[in-house]
Amino acid sequence: MDFSYTPQEEEFRAELRAWLKENLPPGWLEGNHKLPEDPKEEEAFLRAWQHKLADGHWAGVSWPKEYGGRGASLIEQVIYEEEMARVDAPPQVNAIGIGMIGPTIIALGTEEQKKRYVPKILNAEEVWCQGYSEPNAGSDLAALTTRATLEGDHWVVNGQKIWTSYAHLADRCFLLLRTKENPQNKHDGLTCLLVDMHQPGVEPRPIHQMNDHRDFNETFFNNAIVPKDEVLGEVNNGWYAAVVLLSFERVSVANVAFRLQQAYDGLLAYCKRHERNGRPLIQDPLVRNRLAGYHARVHAAKLNFYRNLTRQIKTGRPGPEGSMDKLYCSELLKELNGYAVSLQGAQGELWQDAEEEGKWQEEYLSSFAMTIAGGTSEIQKNIIAERMLGLPKDIKY
Ligand SMILES: Cc1cc2nc3c(=O)[nH]c(=O)nc-3n(C[C@H](O)[C@H](O)[C@H](O)COP(=O)(O)OP(=O)(O)OC[C@H]3O[C@@H](n4cnc5c(N)ncnc54)[C@H](O)[C@@H]3O)c2cc1C
């Protein structure tokens, strides 16, 4: 495998670095990564940041140039993730719109839909959420029951979604639901609607998470109205659109691989900064042993990621190997952050009063999310077992 970058890729990296140096919020490169505490101010800050990224054509780098992106290659997208992780850049408030919904509208939308929605996704003028999961439909997404019926020139939507990230601040939702009375099977008779979140029939209720964030919601639809033509793809063939959207989710695995490196670097620095029993943690042989193990595993995870990326570039298809990356990186990230908390001994049980203002507690509790979102670790294991190892198929009910 060739690890060197082409001059064009190096130029891409240099241009991004220069732009970040010029445009990151004041004090960011010096280590002040605090977002405003007030939720409304935080939202305004993040929308403004994404607007700035869009102005510099750094919001949707993989998007075609004609839609305001850069048409970046897979390697350039990975360089982008690496550089953003290196400076721990503020997140994109419309990450779901940029990563999944925009590309799906570009792929399947009518010209009218593309013109209407795509530019506002890019600059976060309209934030989107993804309404897939329900209380009884997560891993088995096609078991969903939220329903829409056509009444004259509009759809009427009733039901409940859950875990809808950013629904509480979203302007629009990409909603997957049932539209057929007697489907042939559970994948039949689904439709994707593009829903206005600012209407009386839509009520997002934020969920208080164990990491103290309130990023996702239960979302209730009670006679919500959607104009008849706000369908993405074909009526009753929504499973196809749903799968197209999920295929764009895979690229974000790169994000976990680089977050892992970032977490390891942070852990190493932490062990140099803090003492136990009168000497720096880094001098304790047991700690050194664990750090050496993490160093090797993080390196192996990145090499594996690059190997799978090379395969993807050669074949033009993502393949099941991405499941291995997601499983390994997300589980390792959780373990590594948990180890940082355990190094604090009894203090580890504290929250903001713990060392480093509870940074490691927050990171640890947050790192469970990546082992669930985008397909749980067990589902990744099923994919690896069936599609890579050729083991018998999981029982489908
Ligand atoms: C941070 C985060 C953000 C999210 N954002 C969104 C969002 O914006 N929009 C949205 O629609 N959803 C979102 N989700 C929901 C996510 O897609 C689901 O949580 C995920 O698909 C799992 O579904 P579930 O929670 O219903 O768990 P279930 O599917 O009920 O699974 C429960 C347990 O059973 C296991 N299990 C299930 N099926 C199998 C099987 N066949 N074999 C072995 N084990 C199995 C699972 O691994 C899990 O441990 C988000 C989740 C997280 C954590």
Side-chain angles (χ1 to χ4, degrees), residues 96 130 132-133 138-139 163 165 216 369 372-373 376 378-379 382 394:
I96 293 175
Q130 174 201 14
Y132 274 27
S133 306
S139 304
W163 317 125
S165 302
F216 51 32
I372 303 170
T376 65
E378 289 75 21
I379 295 299
N382 282 349
D394 184 26

Side-chain angles (χ1 to χ4, degrees), residues 231-251:
V231 172
L232 193 80
E234 292 169 37
V235 173
N236 290 332
N237 194 20
W239 188 250
Y240 176 70
V243 170
V244 168
L245 183 136
L246 290 176
S247 71
F248 291 112
E249 196 168 29
R250 289 161 181 260
V251 178

Side-chain angles (χ1 to χ4, degrees), residues 10-32:
E10 291 293 8
E11 202 177 298
F12 179 91
R13 188 191 297 277
E15 192 184 339
L16 175 56
R17 272 194 190 182
W19 188 88
L20 285 170
K21 199 166 167 212
E22 199 65 31
N23 291 282
L24 275 168
W28 197 271
L29 282 174
E30 289 72 45
N32 177 13

Side-chain angles (χ1 to χ4, degrees), residues 12-13 15-21 23-25 28-29 33 49-50 52-54 56-61 70 76-92 98 254-259 262:
F12 179 91
R13 188 191 297 277
E15 192 184 339
L16 175 56
R17 272 194 190 182
W19 188 88
L20 285 170
K21 199 166 167 212
N23 291 282
L24 275 168
W28 197 271
L29 282 174
H33 296 182
W49 166 243
Q50 187 171 327
K52 206 174 202 184
L53 283 166
H57 297 278
W58 291 113
V61 290
R70 286 186 174 250
E76 286 169 343
Q77 290 172 52
V78 170
I79 292 173
Y80 178 84
E81 294 294 348
E82 192 178 3
E83 288 301 313
M84 291 309 216
R86 190 180 58 79
V87 297
D88 191 21
Q92 294 210 40
I98 293 285
N255 187 288
V256 198
F258 293 118
R259 267 175 63 192
Q262 199 189 13

Side-chain angles (χ1 to χ4, degrees), residues 79 96 100 119 128 133 172 189-190 217 231 249 291 305 381:
I79 292 173
I96 293 175
M100 296 187 277
W128 283 69
S133 306
R172 304 201 76 89
L190 300 172
N217 302 260
V231 172
E249 196 168 29
L291 286 175
F305 169 73
K381 284 180 188 168

Side-chain angles (χ1 to χ4, degrees), residues 4 14 30 58 71 81 130 140 181 280 297 342 348 357 381 395:
S4 55
E30 289 72 45
W58 291 113
E81 294 294 348
Q130 174 201 14
D140 184 12
E181 276 304 322
R297 288 166 69 193
S342 75
E357 296 176 349
K381 284 180 188 168
I395 300 166

Side-chain angles (χ1 to χ4, degrees), residues 244-281:
V244 168
L245 183 136
L246 290 176
S247 71
F248 291 112
E249 196 168 29
R250 289 161 181 260
V251 178
S252 64
V253 172
N255 187 288
V256 198
F258 293 118
R259 267 175 63 192
L260 192 55
Q261 179 68 57
Q262 199 189 13
Y264 172 76
D265 293 342
L267 175 64
L268 185 63
Y270 172 82
C271 292
K272 289 179 181 167
R273 260 195 314 268
H274 291 275
E275 292 194 350
R276 292 288 178 277
N277 306 321
R279 65 177 175 181
L281 277 164

